Amino acid sequence: MNKRLEQYKELLQVLPRNNVKNSRIYMKKAMLMKQAATIYKDELLQDIKRRYQSIVIEQENEEIKNLENYLEDMKKNLYLLSDFNDSYEKSGLNVTLYDLKKFYKNDLTKVNQDIQVSIEKFLLVGVKLGPSDFNYGEEVEEYMKLFFQEANPDSESLKDSFDKLYWKSPELIEHIYLNLRYLYFSYKKSFEKYYDNKLKDVQITDKDKYLKEYQNYLAKYLLLKSSDTKILQDQFLDGTLDIKEYDDAKINKLRESLILKETNQGMLDENFLKLSYTLFEYKNYLRFKKVIDEIKKIHEDKGNKSLTKAILKKISKCEKKIKKMNKKIRCRRRFRGPLANVTKFYSVIDANLIELKDLYNEYDEAKFKEKVSTSLNENSTLLDILVLASSYKNNLAKIFKIDNEDMSDSDILNEEKALNEFIFYPNNTIINNITINDTRDLVTIIFDKYKLMNINITNEQLEDANLESVISMVNKILVNNYINRSNIKYADLNSACEMKKILDKEVKEVKE
């Protein structure tokens, strides 16, 4: 195309334009050349489009989609597999009530939504709560009576009621939170029964077998997805991967820098795949090392083995006093009418609520520490540590915030999600074999392991600052392997990328 345009320019340059007649001839010739160039350009674009469509794979791998859907269904039940936590955590009530306790960070609608979600979690296990269940103070009674009447977290009446009651009792939401904590303990057996039956409902009779099946399917899915020609092609076409970085000459240099000596190609390719698994695992180990270290620290403290019993006794004592005062309030109102003076009884309730607030904070911390101390032993692995930590989301969030107090809720959720993906990653070989008291250096273990497999990984490459670089190198080698084994040639992929740039540029110019 460029060559033809140059020819047209040369022809136009020799045409005279010294008078009107010649200028008209020049203009006519120029218009004809422009028309011819446009036709030629359209023909070229059509030819490029045809060639592009003949190269590019359009059909997606149905097996990947089917596996993805199957895994999503299995994933919904993974929370039931943990033996470290009880129904308070499994129900998600711990997270909802923790959000409710942080009411000062949210607006009233979100607070009311948390209350509603909590009530729905009780209903899920067969417990229907009503206004009479909320009696942790006069303001709580009044607010929750209206709450059930309105049945709308965004109700204007609720907002007006809150504005009025808040000035009388700034601890209103905290008292509702404490009331819900009491109700959980009152109906704990219903919660436990529901989640025990839930395992039967989803036909999980062997937790280890279910987990193994999930991880086997996940391993197959991850390998299929990472090696799928269509997915790789699309990553090249959209610029996620730079096709220029994957030609054989460049990849051979990367491969040579990592191998100790030439050996069987098939075995070497398999070893690079295993290395990619190890690097992913080690990267995540470093990411969550502070969680491991914190759990180890709790486990080493022998004073953490029996903490909750005394706290629960104090909680029970306070709640019995509140129950007793509520009984007296009902009796007085029954005999003296709804306007009877019951101020002194509510004062006793308020005093116990102040104590309960601190006791529940102590209990949540103690419960976690006690679980760490009693559930882990010298044979427990790093994986066990991470599974336990992930089973207590509120305590896990506190660990995440040790080095960053201002860590946002969304960042915490991202870390929790990444930790869960790491825990269930099917190709872990380090964290499920290294025990809690093992002091061996992981870098040395990895270095020695792959030296035996004819791959040269240096200590420097496994340093946190350099890890991404070596991961990128290995991934490029793997992608190059997948391309070479596929039905599409590197040259064709490269051409398709260039053609797509031309076609995209044309579309953009037409729009402008």
Side-chain angles (χ1 to χ4, degrees):
M1 182 70 189
N2 290 334
K3 187 176 179 181
R4 181 165 293 196
L5 288 175
E6 288 298 323
Q7 289 175 346
Y8 287 156
K9 286 179 184 179
E10 290 175 6
L11 288 171
L12 288 173
Q13 284 174 358
V14 300
L15 289 176
R17 287 187 291 172
N18 54 343
N19 54 47
V20 175
K21 182 181 178 182
N22 287 338
S23 294
R24 285 176 179 170
I25 293 170
Y26 178 90
M27 185 59 67
K28 187 176 181 180
K29 291 279 188 183
M31 292 301 292
L32 288 170
M33 289 178 184
K34 181 182 178 182
Q35 187 178 12
T38 302
I39 293 170
Y40 185 61
K41 178 185 176 184
D42 290 342
E43 289 174 350
L44 280 177
L45 287 171
Q46 287 301 317
D47 185 53
I48 289 171
K49 192 173 182 179
R50 280 193 297 271
R51 289 175 60 199
Y52 177 77
Q53 289 173 342
S54 70
I55 294 172
V56 171
I57 302 167
E58 296 290 347
Q59 189 172 356
E60 294 184 355
N61 188 335
E62 284 298 319
E63 187 178 5
I64 293 175
K65 192 64 181 176
N66 291 338
L67 275 172
E68 191 173 297
N69 292 334
Y70 188 70
L71 286 166
E72 279 301 313
D73 287 338
M74 292 193 75
K75 193 175 181 181
K76 294 172 186 174
N77 300 321
L78 293 178
Y79 76 102
L80 295 168
L81 304 184
S82 176
D83 292 323
F84 290 121
N85 58 14
D86 58 23
S87 60
Y88 185 60
E89 287 78 25
K90 284 185 169 67
S91 67
L93 199 55
N94 61 330
V95 175
T96 306
L97 292 185
Y98 184 70
D99 281 347
L100 182 60
K101 192 168 66 169
K102 298 187 299 176
F103 67 92
Y104 50 86
K105 289 188 175 183
N106 301 312
D107 58 34
L108 186 60
T109 298
K110 174 64 170 66
V111 167
N112 287 334
Q113 286 171 347
D114 286 336
I115 296 172
Q116 185 64 44
V117 168
S118 300
I119 291 169
E120 288 169 358
K121 289 182 185 296
F122 278 85
L123 188 60
L124 182 67
V125 302
V127 178
K128 187 175 182 180
L129 299 179
S132 61
D133 292 300
F134 293 86
N135 49 27
Y136 270 36
E138 192 171 16
E139 291 78 16
V140 169
E141 289 178 9
E142 184 175 340
Y143 189 77
M144 290 307 296
K145 184 178 180 181
L146 183 63
F147 186 93
F148 281 98
Q149 287 175 357
E150 292 294 306
N152 175 15
D154 203 27
S155 162
E156 290 298 325
S157 297
L158 273 178
K159 291 176 183 177
D160 292 340
S161 176
F162 179 80
D163 286 341
K164 181 183 71 172
L165 295 172
Y166 179 81
W167 299 112
K168 293 171 66 177
S169 175
E171 298 82 16
L172 171 62
I173 303 303
E174 288 181 345
H175 292 173
I176 293 173
Y177 157 79
L178 293 170
N179 202 151
L180 286 162
R181 291 298 301 259
Y182 161 74
L183 289 168
Y184 168 75
F185 275 112
S186 299
Y187 294 105
K188 185 176 180 179
K189 286 184 179 178
S190 296
F191 276 85
E192 297 291 346
K193 183 180 178 181
Y194 174 83
Y195 286 99
D196 285 342
N197 288 336
K198 184 74 175 174
L199 279 168
K200 297 173 186 175
D201 292 342
V202 295
Q203 299 180 328
I204 298 177
T205 55
D206 187 327
K207 292 181 180 180
D208 291 336
K209 184 179 178 182
Y210 187 88
L211 177 59
K212 188 67 178 174
E213 182 183 356
Y214 173 78
Q215 290 182 313
N216 285 341
Y217 279 114
L218 181 59
K220 185 177 181 181
Y221 168 75
L222 292 174
L223 184 57
L224 271 175
K225 193 174 178 182
S226 65
S227 61
D228 184 71
T229 310
K230 167 80 166 68
I231 292 174
L232 290 173
Q233 165 203 272
D234 291 349
Q235 289 175 333
F236 286 125
L237 293 175
D238 67 20
T240 303
L241 299 178
D242 183 358
I243 189 68
K244 303 297 182 187
E245 295 296 315
Y246 292 84
D247 71 87
D248 288 339
K250 287 185 178 181
I251 297 302
N252 286 338
K253 284 184 179 179
L254 292 181
R255 189 182 280 109
E256 287 167 9
S257 71
L258 289 172
I259 61 174
L260 293 168
K261 60 181 179 179
E262 289 298 333
T263 186
N264 178 276
Q265 188 62 45
M267 185 179 292
L268 193 58
D269 290 346
E270 182 65 24
N271 290 344
F272 274 120
L273 181 61
K274 289 177 180 177
L275 177 59
S276 74
Y277 297 155
T278 299
L279 293 174
F280 176 86
E281 183 179 6
Y282 185 65
K283 174 186 174 181
N284 280 281
Y285 162 78
L286 293 178
R287 181 174 184 174
F288 299 110
K289 189 175 183 298
K290 71 177 179 181
V291 175
I292 294 170
D293 291 343
E294 191 63 25
I295 299 299
K296 281 185 176 183
K297 194 187 302 180
I298 294 170
H299 184 260
E300 287 167 4
D301 188 342
K302 303 305 178 185
N304 288 329
K305 288 194 173 180
S306 183
L307 298 173
T308 58
K309 190 174 180 181
I311 300 171
L312 284 172
K313 278 186 178 180
K314 292 178 183 178
I315 288 173
S316 179
K317 186 178 178 181
C318 287
E319 289 178 340
K320 282 178 181 177
K321 285 180 182 178
I322 292 172
K323 193 174 182 179
K324 185 178 180 182
M325 291 304 105
N326 279 318
K327 188 175 180 180
K328 288 186 175 184
I329 289 168
R330 287 194 297 273
C331 286
R332 179 157 293 194
R333 283 176 172 167
R334 187 183 304 123
F335 291 110
R336 300 189 185 182
L339 299 178
N341 186 356
V342 291
T343 304
K344 65 178 181 179
F345 302 131
Y346 279 122
S347 296
V348 174
I349 290 175
D350 289 342
N352 279 277
L353 287 172
I354 292 170
E355 189 173 350
L356 268 179
K357 178 184 173 183
D358 292 333
L359 285 171
Y360 270 113
N361 287 336
E362 286 180 40
Y363 171 74
D364 289 337
E365 193 66 32
K367 179 184 177 184
F368 181 63
K369 289 181 178 178
E370 189 173 283
K371 182 58 69 171
V372 170
S373 293
T374 57
S375 298
L376 301 177
N377 55 53
E378 61 182 15
N379 295 318
S380 298
T381 64
L382 301 187
L383 179 59
D384 293 327
I385 288 175
L386 293 175
V387 171
L388 191 154
S390 71
S391 300
Y392 292 84
K393 294 186 184 300
N394 297 338
N395 302 87
L396 178 62
K398 289 180 182 178
I399 294 174
F400 286 145
K401 295 178 80 170
I402 287 175
D403 297 327
N404 182 10
E405 187 60 37
D406 297 324
M407 192 175 188
S408 68
D409 289 346
S410 62
D411 286 340
I412 289 172
L413 284 173
N414 287 336
E415 287 299 288
E416 287 177 0
K417 183 179 177 182
L419 177 56
N420 275 315
E421 287 178 358
F422 180 35
I423 285 169
F424 293 111
Y425 183 61
N427 301 307
N428 288 330
T429 53
I430 300 172
I431 61 171
N432 46 1
N433 284 293
I434 301 294
T435 57
I436 192 169
N437 295 324
D438 199 326
T439 57
R440 288 177 295 168
D441 178 43
L442 294 191
V443 171
T444 303
I445 292 173
I446 295 169
F447 174 79
D448 291 344
K449 165 72 173 176
Y450 283 95
K451 191 173 182 181
L452 292 171
M453 296 169 72
N454 200 32
I455 294 178
N456 182 35
I457 295 294
T458 65
N459 289 0
E460 290 75 21
Q461 285 174 316
L462 292 178
E463 289 176 2
D464 205 357
N466 302 324
L467 195 54
E468 282 298 336
S469 177
V470 70
I471 288 173
S472 176
M473 289 171 65
V474 174
N475 285 342
K476 284 179 180 178
I477 291 169
L478 291 176
V479 169
N480 178 261
N481 288 342
Y482 299 143
I483 293 170
N484 289 336
R485 292 178 197 163
S486 72
N487 294 325
I488 188 169
K489 297 177 181 177
Y490 171 83
D492 289 336
L493 273 175
N494 191 26
S495 296
C497 290
E498 293 301 319
M499 286 187 279
K500 187 173 186 298
K501 288 177 185 177
I502 294 169
L503 295 172
D504 287 347
K505 183 181 177 184
E506 181 63 22
V507 170
K508 185 178 178 182
E509 287 176 355
V510 168
K511 287 181 179 179
E512 291 174 351

